[in-house]
Amino acid sequence: NGLDSRRIEGAAAPWRQDPDALARWRESNLGDAGPVMIYIGRIQPENRLDLAIEGLAALRPSHPGARLVIIGAGAPEGDLRRLAAERGVSEQVIWVGERYDEAEIAPWMLSADVLVYPSNAGLSLIHGFNYGLPAIACAPRAAHNPEIWALDDGRNGRIAERADGTA
């Protein structure tokens, strides 16, 4: 179980070499967004994407252009879409769907400001680091897979306390 960083670098290289093309892509797909949070992985209850949506809603007053990009699919998507609607952030959540082709993933990752993985983070954390993204995960570390130890709190991301008090 691992990632081929050469494939990631190969997919990112054309975008990094042509920042104007990436800016046009970002404008076309994200509009005047900022900051952009990205999640990539399966949509499953133990990953606690509800916390990412709640975080987006909390950011809305101070950062009305904030976006949450979700790359992945899973049964709880309907519940998460309803939660986004209830919190008034439906227009700020971009549901990309499942993507496995690194060439399709690259512009999304390169347009993001931070990777979010509230709970159960694994290889997706390392995937984000390969794109140079800092990461935000929720405490406790025990709620994640071993890859969480690559997140050095304060250096390449943050381990945040959960506002809802859950473990």
Side-chain angles (χ1 to χ4, degrees):
N1 198 11
L3 292 172
D4 184 351
S5 60
R6 293 171 300 177
R7 283 189 43 217
I8 294 169
E9 186 52 40
W15 296 105
R16 288 185 171 138
Q17 292 166 4
D18 190 351
D20 291 336
L22 181 60
R24 287 189 302 275
W25 186 95
R26 181 182 165 121
E27 174 64 29
S28 174
N29 289 276
L30 294 167
D32 189 23
V36 175
M37 301 171 286
I38 193 164
Y39 168 90
I40 183 167
R42 291 182 187 93
I43 299 175
Q44 48 194 27
E46 56 268 26
N47 296 355
R48 297 299 311 269
L49 275 173
D50 59 310
L51 295 175
I53 290 170
E54 295 287 0
L56 178 64
L59 275 175
R60 187 174 186 175
S62 61
H63 295 84
R67 300 284 185 273
L68 172 61
V69 173
I70 298 175
I71 299 177
E77 184 176 323
D79 293 336
L80 293 168
R81 285 179 181 267
R82 281 188 289 285
L83 177 62
E86 289 169 12
R87 298 300 185 265
V89 294
S90 290
E91 299 297 316
Q92 293 173 260
V93 180
I94 299 166
W95 302 90
V96 178
E98 286 181 295
R99 296 291 184 274
Y100 299 102
D101 182 346
E102 206 62 49
E104 292 179 36
I105 294 168
W108 291 106
M109 297 292 267
L110 292 168
S111 295
D113 298 298
V114 64
L115 175 84
V116 294
Y117 215 109
S119 188
N120 202 35
L123 281 175
S124 293
L125 183 67
I126 307 305
H127 197 180
F129 287 159
N130 270 270
Y131 280 99
L133 290 172
I136 299 173
C138 292
R141 284 185 189 264
H144 298 277
N145 292 294
E147 292 84 358
I148 194 65
W149 293 101
L151 199 165
D152 185 359
D153 191 34
R155 188 179 65 79
N156 62 356
R158 298 297 305 184
I159 300 286
E161 293 300 320
R162 293 180 182 196
D164 71 351
T166 63

